[in-house]
Amino acid sequence: MKQMCSAAVCADVSCSASDLAAALRDIQIQNEKIAAKNLQELNEWYKTRFPDFNQASTKHAENVRRFREGTGKRSVVF
């Protein structure tokens, strides 16, 4: 077992390269699981929100069309 000391910090280093590689693999697997879960949650959010956004967009487009038609009629009157 190696001991590293610097100023007031002492740490025992008792892991090998294979232990470190295994720990990094475990961390990578955890990160991949978290990323997959986040992607699934994002897809679910998108599926619930897209109809709302689509409906709002359609309503906005209709309002713009009505406004344009209204301004066209007014310009003829003036």
Side-chain angles (χ1 to χ4, degrees):
M1 185 174 350
K2 296 180 183 178
Q3 189 176 37
M4 297 172 51
C5 294
S6 173
V9 177
C10 292
D12 288 330
V13 180
S14 62
C15 66
S16 66
S18 62
D19 292 340
L20 181 58
L24 289 174
R25 278 193 301 275
D26 290 344
I27 292 169
Q28 182 178 4
I29 290 169
Q30 289 175 358
N31 286 341
E32 289 172 354
K33 287 179 182 178
I34 292 169
K37 181 183 172 195
N38 288 343
L39 182 60
Q40 181 181 3
E41 289 175 358
L42 179 64
N43 283 335
E44 290 171 6
W45 178 88
Y46 180 78
K47 287 177 184 177
T48 61
R49 297 292 185 220
F50 184 74
D52 296 341
F53 293 145
N54 195 21
Q55 182 180 10
S57 175
T58 301
K59 186 176 180 179
H60 177 69
E62 289 173 1
N63 289 340
V64 169
R65 182 182 47 79
R66 286 188 201 125
F67 178 77
R68 287 182 179 167
E69 288 174 355
T71 57
K73 289 177 184 177
R74 287 185 192 132
S75 63
V76 172
V77 173
F78 293 115

